[in-house]
Amino acid sequence: MAMNRRDLIKSAGMMGMLGMASAVAAPAKAADALEGLVGKGASKFILVHGAFHGGWCYGRVAALLRKAGHQVWTPSLSGMAENAHQFSGSINLSTHIEDIVRLIDVEDIDDAVLCGHSYGGMVIAGVADKRLKAIRSIVYLDAFMPADGQSLFDLDAPGAVQAHLNSAANNGGHTIPPIPSSIFRVNEADQAYVDSKCTAQPLATFSERIKLGGDYQRVAKKTFVYAEGWKDISPFGGAYEKAKTDSGFVTHKVPCGHDVMIDMPDHLAKILVDAV
């Protein structure tokens, strides 16, 4: 019997964090998927994953964008995915922000669309604050939007926060294991794939309070994408409503669960190109 997020929060041993999606539309033909992605000039995209995930989750979106002639970076953050062998309790939000800052510096990336999914919203806010001149547009993909001094724990539901803390306490004090993708309604065909790829999250990435100077608010173009397929348990409804009332934001609703890049890659690719 599939668990839901409320069951997860009540069960003091299992946890998780935002991560997945629901009902997927039928796969588009290659020509249809590329429609609207070409003819706008080559653009640059940095796609930052959320908790428990890695760059792998953007594989379908990246393939579409690259086929249309764009440059795409899909880094896996420290301690995550193929970097899981380097996992450490000392890895925190600042570490992950620095991962992307260094990517920008080493690759000489400029004029880029910076997208962050879920927890990745915390990361991209910090990156934009440090490298404003390199960022053309910022996309919060069903993501947290922090203010200075906030942590993810300040923004998530209290029950979910306690569940994460309990899970970490049962796993060495600094490790939050991933949870089943069905919790966040990944389509059934992809659940086993997503579950096989997800890795543990360092607790300090959720608990560290971000330090922001204000430059992140000066990004010229901002987008918020709200996944309404799990709105009954999503913590992002408030952020979406806030973005809707901000004239600096373009907002989108998508009919799937949390992992939009898994369930609706062609639609997300078009949103990203529109965000250029």
Side-chain angles (χ1 to χ4, degrees), residues 108-230:
D108 295 321
I109 303 172
D110 63 357
D111 205 33
V113 175
L114 178 64
C115 173
H117 175 241
S118 195
Y119 158 74
M122 305 290 295
V123 177
I124 64 172
V127 173
D129 207 56
K130 290 176 177 289
R131 293 295 183 272
L132 174 64
K133 292 181 179 179
I135 309 305
R136 176 187 183 92
S137 173
I138 192 166
V139 179
Y140 292 90
L141 177 58
D142 213 33
F144 292 104
M145 294 198 300
D148 180 47
Q150 289 185 317
S151 71
L152 182 146
F153 280 164
D154 292 322
L155 299 171
D156 205 357
V161 172
Q162 189 58 55
H164 293 314
L165 292 171
N166 292 346
S167 183
N170 292 329
N171 290 276
H174 52 62
T175 302
I176 306 175
I179 64 169
S181 60
S182 60
I183 299 298
F184 302 102
R185 302 183 191 149
V186 168
N187 71 89
E188 290 186 6
D190 281 318
Q191 286 177 14
Y193 165 71
V194 172
D195 289 339
S196 73
K197 299 292 185 183
C198 285
T199 54
Q201 185 80 15
L203 175 65
T205 61
F206 288 179
S207 62
E208 184 188 6
R209 297 181 186 278
I210 196 168
K211 296 180 178 65
L212 296 170
D215 274 356
Y216 74 105
Q217 295 177 318
R218 295 171 53 206
V219 176
K221 193 170 183 180
K222 307 179 187 72
T223 301
F224 191 94
V225 182
Y226 178 56
E228 60 180 344
W230 70 307

Side-chain angles (χ1 to χ4, degrees), residues 231-255:
K231 63 184 178 181
D232 57 321
I233 56 174
S234 169
F236 302 121
Y240 171 64
E241 293 300 325
K242 181 179 179 180
K244 279 174 60 178
T245 64
D246 187 330
S247 60
F249 270 88
V250 173
T251 59
H252 299 270
K253 276 186 179 180
V254 290

Side-chain angles (χ1 to χ4, degrees), residues 47 49 52-58 73-87 91 99 193 196-200:
L47 310 181
H49 62 83
F52 311 116
H53 286 51
W56 57 266
C57 70
Y58 284 111
W73 291 264
T74 59
S76 291
L77 300 170
S78 291
M80 311 298 296
E82 69 270 22
N83 300 321
H85 63 292
Q86 299 171 334
F87 186 97
I91 293 173
D99 285 340
Y193 165 71
S196 73
K197 299 292 185 183
C198 285
T199 54

